[in-house]
Structure formats: C-alpha cells, structure tokens
C-alpha cells in the first residue's frame, strides 16, 4: 500500500473526524446535505481506519494499537460507513411520511457521529477508565436515538435501555475501580494503575481474589451491553422501536464494542495464574444466551424484535467461542463476530426498507416478499440463509469451527451449543417461508432503496464462505494466538 | 492512616449506608427526595474527608458537584416535577417495606462478606470503603427494582452512583475520578431533562413505569 505515507498517524483522524463532523452536523440545517456529509465523514474514518493495518503496534498512556483492536476498528468503520449510506435513503422516506422532522434529523446525524466517536475511542483506549467513559458516551447517544420517534413504544424502549444500560455501566465502573485497587499495590498510584498495557505487564503479581470479584462485575456490567441473557431485556425493545439504521449499528457494532471490553479484561485475568479462569464464565453466559434466544425466536411477532433475538443468540455464540478459547475457537469467534456484524446489519438494511414499504413491522402482515418486491425479498432470503448458518456462507464456516473445536475439548457443551443453533435455525426458516414465500399481502409500491450497502455486506459474507483470503486468515490467526 | 482520620472516614461511609436504608423505606416522593439530598450531602462530606486525608485537592471538584447538583439542583427540579404532575401521593412498592428492609440487610451482609474477605491484603481504609460502597450500590439497585415510579427509579440510580463515587474516592490516587463523576452528572442531568422533555406525564398520564409495560410491541 503506497498511501498513506508511513509517517502518517491515522489515530487522530479516526477520533477527530467523527467529532468535527458531529459539530458540523449539529449546525447544518439541510438534511439532504447532512446525510451526505455523514456519509463523507464515515468514509474518511473508514480510510483512516484501514490504514491502521500498515501501522506497527504501539501503546501510549491513552491510546493503544494492537492486532486485536485493529480488527474491531476496521469492522466498526466499515459498517459505520455502509450504514450511513443506508441511513441517507432510509431517512428520506421517514421525512416524506412525516415520521421525522428536519430538526430531529439534524440531531440524528450529529448523534450518529458522536456515537461513532464514542465507539472508536472505546476501541482505541489503552486506559480502562477512558474506555468506560467512551462506552458510556456511545450508549447514551444510542439511547437518545432509540427514543427519537417519540411514540409510546419508543420512549418506553429508550427508558428501559437507559435504566438497564446505566445499571450495567455502573457495575462495570465498580469492576474497573476494583481492578485499579488490585493494581495499586504493585504498579503504584496514579495513571499507571489504569493503563491496560501496564496492567498486563504486572498482572501476574496482583491480588487474585480482588481480580476475581472485579471480573464478575465487569462481565455482568459490560455483558449487559453485549446483550447476554439474562441481562438482555433492553435489547429487543431498543432494536424494534428505534430507526432501523440504529438497529443495524446496535447489532453490528455496539454489541461488539462491549464484547471487546470483556475480552480485554479476560486477557488480563488469564495472565494471572491464581485468578479464576474467565473462560468458563463467558462460555456459560454465552450458552445460556444461545439456548434462551433460540426458543424466544418462536414467539416473536415483530420482525425487528425477531432479528434482535437472533443478535442475542449470535453474541452468545461469540462469547461462547471466546470463552472456550484456544487458537481454533478464538479464530472462529473472531470470524463469527465479523460475519455476524456484516450479515445482521445487511438484514436490518433490507428489513428497514421492507418495514417502510409495507408500513408495518408485524411479521404476520409481511408476506410473499419475493413476489411483491423481488430484489428486497431475495436479499432478505439470502441474509436469513446466511445468518441461519447454511453453507456456503461465512457464518456456516465459523459455526462449524466453533462446534467442532468445542467437540474436541468438551463434547457435552458442544452438543448443547449445536442444539441451540438448530432450534434457532428452525425458527429462522419457519419465519422466512412466510415472509418470503407466503401469500403476498400489503403494498406492492416500488421501493426507493439503496441496495448497495446490503449487497456489499451479503456479497462479503458469501465470499468469505467460499474463499477466505490468506491475508485475513493469517491476521485472524495472529489475533487468535494473542487471545490465548 | 491515623486512628482518628480512619474513624471519621469509616463513620461517614457508614452514614451513607444508613441513609441508603432511609431511602429504602420512604413511601412519599417528597420525603424520598429530601432523604436523597441528605444522601448527597453525606457523600460530599465523605469525599471531602478523603480529599483532605489523601491530600488530593482535585477531589473537591467532586465534592462541589455532589453539593450543588445532587443535593441542590436535581432534587429541586424533581420536586417541581412531582408537584406539577401531582404525583406526591404514596409510592407504589413491590413487596412490603418489611421484606424490602430484610432484603437490604441481606445485601449489606453480602457485600461485607464478599469485600472484606476478598480485600484482605488491601489497606484497611480502602477495604472498609469498598465494602460500604458495594453496600450502597446494591441498596441502590434494590431501590430501583422495588419502585415502579420513574422519579424514584432515578433516585435509586443516583444513590447507586453515589456509592460508585464513594468507591472511586476511596481508591487512593485513582485517576479520572473527577472526570467520571462529571460524566455521571451529565448522565443524570440527561435523564432528568429527558423526563422533562419527553413529558412522560403527558404521554403516559402516569410516571408509573409499570403502566409503560403495556405499550410494549409484543402485547397486541
């Protein structure tokens, strides 16, 4: 890669670009222009984020670049960019039908960039306190956006998200304080006690019992954000009642950011020989989420809520994979996380347009999509096939890897996971047949959709199922090895 | 740490747990808000003592936030809101006061058992502070689950947050305490503003969160 120049540091761009864009978007009245500025800012962030791959690993007092977070940042910037394109066409329709006013959109676009800033900061942070603040910021902006329609349901969802999210964030902070308390006798007072790389160097000498309690709080706190059962109650409401672009970034990105925080602390605990093994706790929460969400899928009547439960299931799979650990399971976990982000946001793009054209989110009222809207319908079919884990998709590969690598280590757990996946598969197929191939209902009006983002996402997912580029495999293997 | 300064820190942190218990059995909104203001004052005193003992002047910013915002502006704003909405009647609680108090005692015992055992190696002041802070946090959670009214849930959350600030201030030399307390204040201000802006009263005719449940998309 010849550009950017080797001495170019993309980190300030990744942080400053969303921040500046947010300030600009807050004062620009024209929503058409804002939508494009939003896309443009996201593109700049994406370019800066992808140039991270050329950078050597380095760690400062506040910022850290290592193999692990580059994957997350690149994925974050990519989905952030495609969602901004989808959002531009989505909100055009919302303005037309008067569900949103231009004043609210100004607010919406500015918050979108604030959220991107928060997530990028959380991923780049080398300081566990800074990471906490950044995740709080990202959460708060999504809370406001979930409530942006100001209907009864939207405000109820936002309130619930707010209260549960705040409790989660409070528990995470308590865990963070405990980690600092554990570090203080060894690394001394002040900033060093919160710098992740410094903690990693000295963690072997920390008081293990304090670390154990800290991890429980951190897992519960950030786990609430990941949407792991039984702490998931906010997630379906927040997905269903907010604007669809927000559902896409919630599922595709914010859950990952929270998971990233859990992973960082898992690494910390794993480096201390006397602390509890963090893996089994994560695997347990993950397994519970998979099985619980799989059964709950059958009872959902709202299409966005339905896919929100599917997100809980997949976050469970990912947490399970990282919990099992080892080179293969970590590799599969990373792959699954990437594939889930791409597929699920792709599905939400198409569901967003479907809900707009049909004027409803009730599954019962959306039928025969492949007949009324062939392109949209078939995109959704491919999306659901991919997320259900059918070959030849990337999700299939990662799920097979997770189940088979678990079989070698803990056959009973693998059976339970496979059971959960099959139950969820059944629910997805059952709903898909009605929605895609049933007797057509509702409006047949042509839809002004931007197909590019969903095609791009699904194409990537299918391509990954057929052929994973060796560069990517090598990179993921390197990260997986680091994850222990 | 000398005997006297240790005892004072201990006393103030213990007082915070006690005031949390007082929050638990208030059944009127006005009284709840008044007790919460007291909670914030006790927190401010406790943090101020830590700032003095640890010689950490930046903690006085946190003290100022606690006094001005949490003991002053927010309770007054909530008072106004309660009066305007005319909801100063009894608070609906889940389960009786007696059961709630028992549960609260159990939580305090739990936090003592967990934290004192775990932090055997840490310095004694930090240990006690952490144990008390965890008790305040758990009591705050208990308030949030036993109340169905949006205003008292906010009060529960704020008392929980006071526990976090107590823990952070007790951890000697912890960086970002002030930043974190500011971040929390922003969060709480947003909640209060949000309740105002969205005029939950007008939208729902009640701030009883239980009533909001029926708007869930699942129940048709």
């Amino acid at each position: 890669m010849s550009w950017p120049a080797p001495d170019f540091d993309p980190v300030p761009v990744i942080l400053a670009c969303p921040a500046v864009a947010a300030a600009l978007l807050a004062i620009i009245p024209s929503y058409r222009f804002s939508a494009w500025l939003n896309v443009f800012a996201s593109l700049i962030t994406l370019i800066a984020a992808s140039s991270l791959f050329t950078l050597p690993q380095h760690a400062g007092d506040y910022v850290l670049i290592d193999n692990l977070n580059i994957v997350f940042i690149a994925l974050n910037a990519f989905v952030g960019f495609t969602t901004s394109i989808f959002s531009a066409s989505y909100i055009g329709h919302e303005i037309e039908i008067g569900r949103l006013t231009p004043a609210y959109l100004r607010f919406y676009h500015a918050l979108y960039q604030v959220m991107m800033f928060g997530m990028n900061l959380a991923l780049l942070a080398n300081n566990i306190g800074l990471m906490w603040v950044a995740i709080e910021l990202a959460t708060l902006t999504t809370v406001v956006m979930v409530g942006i329609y100001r209907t009864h349901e939207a405000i109820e969802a936002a309130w619930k998200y707010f209260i549960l999210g705040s409790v989660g964030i409070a528990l995470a902070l308590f865990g963070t304080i405990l980690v600092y308390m554990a570090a203080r006798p060894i690394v001394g007072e002040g900033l060093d006690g919160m710098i992740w790389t410094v903690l990693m160097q000295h963690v072997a000498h920390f008081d293990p019992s304090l670390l154990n309690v800290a991890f429980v709080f951190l897992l519960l706190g950030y786990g609430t954000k990941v949407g792991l059962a039984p702490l998931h109650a906010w997630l379906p409401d927040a997905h269903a009642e907010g604007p669809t672009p927000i559902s896409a970034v919630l599922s595709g990105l914010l859950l990952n950011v929270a998971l990233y925080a859990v992973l960082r602390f898992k690494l910390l605990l794993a480096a201390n020989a006397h602390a509890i093994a963090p893996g089994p706790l994560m695997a347990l929460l993950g397994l519970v989420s998979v099985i619980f969400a799989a059964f709950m899928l059958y009872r959902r009547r709202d299409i966005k809520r339905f896919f929100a439960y599917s997100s809980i299931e997949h976050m469970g799979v990912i947490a399970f994979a990282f919990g099992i650990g080892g080179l293969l399971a970590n590799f599969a976990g990373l792959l699954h996380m990437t594939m889930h982000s791409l597929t699920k946001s792709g599905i939400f793009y198409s569901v967003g347009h479907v809900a707009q054209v049909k004027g409803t989110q009730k599954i019962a009222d959306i039928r025969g999509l492949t007949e009324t809207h062939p392109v949209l319908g078939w995109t959704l079919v491919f999306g659901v096939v991919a997320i259900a884990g059918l070959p030849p998709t990337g999700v299939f590969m990662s799920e097979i890897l997770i189940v088979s690598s678990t079989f070698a280590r803990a056959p009973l757990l693998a059976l339970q996971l496979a059971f959960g996946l099959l139950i969820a598969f059944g629910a997805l197929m059952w709903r898909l047949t009605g929605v895609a191939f049933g007797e057509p209902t509702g409006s047949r009006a042509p839809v002004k959709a931007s197909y590019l983002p969903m095609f791009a996402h699904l194409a990537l997912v299918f391509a990954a199922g057929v052929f994973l580029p060796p560069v990517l495999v090598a990179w993921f293997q390197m990260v997986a090895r680091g994850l222990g | 740490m000398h005997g006297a300064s240790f005892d004072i820190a201990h006393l103030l942190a213990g007082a915070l747990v006690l005031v949390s218990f007082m929050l638990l059995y208030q059944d009127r909104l006005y009284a709840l808000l008044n007790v919460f203001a007291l909670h914030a004052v006790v927190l401010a005193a406790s943090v101020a003592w830590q700032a003095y003992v640890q010689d950490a002047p930046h903690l006085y910013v946190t003290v100022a936030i606690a006094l001005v915002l949490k003991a002053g502006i927010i309770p007054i704003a909530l008072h106004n809101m309660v009066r305007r909405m005319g909801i100063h009647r009894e608070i609906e609680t889940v389960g009786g006061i007696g059961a709630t108090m028992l549960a609260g005692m159990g939580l305090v015992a739990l936090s003592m058992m967990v934290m004192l055992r775990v932090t055997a190696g840490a310095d004694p002041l930090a240990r006690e502070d952490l144990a008390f802070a965890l008790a305040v946090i758990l009591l705050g959670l208990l308030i949030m689950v036993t109340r169905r009214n949006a205003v008292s849930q906010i009060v529960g959350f704020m008392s929980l947050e006071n526990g976090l600030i107590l823990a952070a201030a007790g951890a000697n030399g912890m960086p970002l305490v002030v930043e974190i307390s500011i971040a929390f204040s922003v969060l709480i201000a947003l909640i209060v503003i949000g309740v105002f802006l969205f005029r939950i009263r007008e939208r729902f005719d009640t701030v009883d969160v239980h009533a909001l449940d029926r708007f869930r998309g699942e129940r048709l």
Side-chain angles (χ1 to χ4, degrees):
Chain A
M1 215 185 287
S2 60
W3 191 90
D7 59 341
F8 167 80
D9 183 7
V11 171
V13 181
I14 294 173
L15 292 177
C17 177
V20 172
L24 281 178
L25 287 166
I27 52 173
I28 293 174
S30 157
Y31 75 88
R32 276 175 227 281
F33 182 66
S34 312
W36 287 113
L37 182 61
N38 194 25
V39 173
F40 180 70
S42 306
L43 178 64
I44 301 283
T45 316
L46 174 62
I47 292 171
S50 33
S51 70
L52 280 176
F53 283 101
T54 61
L55 231 64
Q57 303 193 31
H58 66 268
D61 278 357
Y62 291 99
V63 172
L64 166 75
I65 303 289
D66 68 1
N67 295 332
L68 174 62
N69 67 3
I70 291 180
V71 176
F72 280 82
I73 296 168
L75 186 64
N76 204 45
F78 179 72
V79 179
F81 168 62
T82 49
T83 305
S84 68
I85 300 177
F86 164 67
S87 158
S89 76
Y90 180 86
I91 53 152
H93 184 269
E94 300 296 277
I95 287 276
E96 256 171 46
I97 60 168
R99 242 180 127 188
L100 284 175
T101 61
Y104 271 101
L105 273 186
R106 203 156 106 187
F107 197 51
Y108 165 86
H109 282 125
L111 282 178
Y112 187 87
Q113 289 297 329
V114 174
M115 175 187 69
M116 292 309 290
F117 170 77
M119 291 196 288
N120 288 340
L121 183 62
L123 294 173
L124 282 168
N126 191 19
N127 182 303
I128 55 177
L130 185 66
M131 183 163 81
W132 178 86
V133 172
I135 292 182
E136 187 202 321
L137 180 71
T139 308
L140 272 184
T141 50
T142 45
V143 167
V144 179
M145 292 211 268
V146 164
I148 205 165
Y149 286 137
R150 301 192 47 175
T151 57
H152 291 159
E153 295 85 352
I155 292 176
E156 208 266 326
W159 181 260
K160 196 169 182 182
Y161 181 18
F162 200 65
I163 292 294
L164 280 169
S166 306
V167 170
I169 214 107
L171 295 180
L173 177 60
F174 194 67
T176 307
I177 295 172
L178 288 179
V179 170
Y180 172 76
M181 294 288 290
R184 201 177 49 128
I186 312 292
V187 296
E189 289 181 10
L191 201 58
D192 277 355
M194 290 205 131
I195 297 178
W196 188 81
T197 40
V198 177
L199 295 177
M200 269 312 267
Q201 278 166 16
H202 299 284
V203 73
H205 309 295
F206 291 0
D207 178 10
S209 48
L210 208 51
L211 276 182
N212 293 348
V213 178
F215 185 72
V216 171
F217 277 99
L218 289 163
L219 182 63
L220 289 179
Y222 287 127
T224 310
K225 304 252 103 107
V226 184
L228 295 177
L231 308 158
H232 65 280
W234 61 273
L235 194 146
D237 295 83
H239 276 70
E241 307 306 342
T244 311
I246 299 312
S247 317
V249 281
L250 267 179
S251 259
L253 303 179
L254 195 61
L255 306 185
N256 288 353
V257 173
L259 187 76
Y260 167 82
V262 176
L263 274 182
R264 281 277 178 217
F265 288 105
K266 175 185 182 259
L267 281 174
L268 206 57
L269 249 81
N272 184 313
H274 302 289
I276 43 165
L281 283 177
M282 280 179 78
L284 175 72
L285 276 187
L287 195 60
V288 170
S289 309
V290 173
I291 294 174
F292 171 80
F295 279 105
M296 294 307 275
L297 277 174
Y298 287 88
R299 298 188 51 202
R300 302 279 77 84
R301 292 181 215 136
D302 178 305
I303 191 158
K304 278 166 81 179
R305 215 172 268 269
F306 179 74
F307 286 114
Y309 271 94
S310 159
S311 288
I312 298 178
E313 181 222 334
H314 285 278
M315 291 320 282
V317 172
I318 299 163
F320 179 85
F322 287 131
I324 291 295
L327 184 60
L328 203 53
N330 281 335
F331 177 85
L334 282 171
L335 184 64
H336 196 73
M337 186 192 77
T338 314
M339 290 304 133
H340 171 248
S341 287
L342 293 174
T343 320
K344 192 52 67 64
S345 38
I347 287 179
F348 271 118
Y349 301 158
S350 88
V351 165
H353 287 309
V354 169
Q356 281 185 334
V357 73
K358 297 283 188 190
T360 178
Q361 289 179 198
K362 278 191 206 137
I363 295 178
D365 297 345
I366 305 173
R367 301 184 70 77
L369 266 184
T370 46
E371 208 165 306
T372 56
H373 299 88
V375 184
L376 217 48
W378 281 107
T379 319
L380 188 63
V381 170
F382 281 121
V384 175
V385 162
I387 206 77
L390 280 178
T393 63
V395 181
F396 168 74
M397 274 187 40
S398 53
E399 282 184 355
I400 285 290
L401 272 176
I402 292 171
V403 173
S404 60
S405 65
T406 313
F407 244 115
R409 310 254 297 272
L412 276 180
L413 282 182
L415 276 181
Q416 293 174 44
L417 180 70
F419 171 72
L421 290 176
L422 283 177
I423 299 287
F425 176 81
L428 285 163
M429 288 303 130
W430 176 51
R431 286 305 192 193
L432 178 68
T433 46
V435 167
F437 309 110
E439 195 63 32
T441 55
S443 159
R444 286 168 178 270
V447 56
K448 270 185 283 174
S450 57
Y451 292 112
L452 189 67
M454 41 184 145
F455 286 168
H457 279 207
L458 293 177
L460 281 176
V461 173
F462 275 88
V466 179
F467 172 70
L468 265 184
V471 189
L472 196 67
V473 174
W475 190 276
F476 275 6
Q477 271 173 345
M478 188 161 65
V479 179
R481 217 169 288 129
L483 280 171
Chain B
M1 177 71 58
H2 304 297
S5 58
F6 174 83
D7 285 342
I8 293 176
H10 206 153
L11 176 76
L12 288 170
L16 201 63
V17 178
L18 212 61
V19 180
S20 281
F21 265 106
M22 287 170 65
L23 283 174
L24 212 50
Y25 65 75
Q26 298 306 321
D27 56 2
R28 310 239 158 203
L29 275 180
Y30 282 154
L32 187 74
L33 290 172
N34 293 341
V35 177
F36 174 73
L38 177 66
H39 202 267
V41 170
V42 174
L43 174 79
S46 181
V47 176
W49 184 253
Q50 293 282 358
Y52 171 70
V53 172
Q54 292 177 24
D55 199 14
H58 60 274
L59 283 182
Y60 288 117
V61 179
T62 307
V63 176
I65 292 175
L67 277 182
V68 174
L69 202 69
K70 288 190 220 149
I73 296 173
I74 286 180
I76 291 172
L78 288 175
H79 251 279
N80 279 337
M81 199 156 80
V82 168
R83 195 181 51 239
R84 223 181 293 162
M85 293 178 181
I87 48 166
H88 49 81
R89 296 178 306 268
E90 270 193 34
I91 301 171
E92 191 199 353
T93 52
V94 185
I97 296 284
T100 313
M101 294 298 279
L102 278 179
M105 281 181 226
L107 288 177
V108 174
L110 179 78
S111 53
M112 295 294 156
M113 263 163 52
V114 171
M115 291 317 298
L116 292 185
R117 185 169 302 174
V118 159
T119 55
D123 77 280
L125 177 61
R127 287 177 72 184
E128 308 274 337
D129 243 14
L130 271 184
F132 282 133
L134 182 60
V136 173
I137 291 169
L138 292 179
L139 288 176
L141 275 177
L142 186 64
I143 295 170
M144 288 176 78
V145 294
T146 54
R147 308 284 164 126
R148 286 176 173 166
N149 178 297
V151 173
S152 34
Q153 284 194 342
I154 294 176
V155 170
F157 179 67
M158 287 193 296
S159 76
L160 184 160
E161 185 238 325
N162 284 353
L164 284 170
I165 300 291
L166 181 71
N172 276 4
M174 178 166 143
L176 295 170
V177 174
V178 177
E179 287 81 350
I180 285 170
S181 64
I182 292 172
F184 258 125
S185 311
V186 170
L187 186 113
I188 287 173
L190 268 177
I191 307 186
V192 175
I193 293 167
V195 174
F196 267 119
L197 269 189
F198 288 130
R199 270 164 289 169
I200 287 193
R201 170 72 174 168
E202 273 172 41
R203 295 235 161 227
F204 301 113
D205 302 320
T206 171
V207 280
D208 185 334
V209 176
H210 188 60
L212 310 194
D213 277 348
R214 82 185 121 89
F215 299 120
R216 283 173 50 136
E218 284 305 306
R219 292 177 203 162
L220 304 172

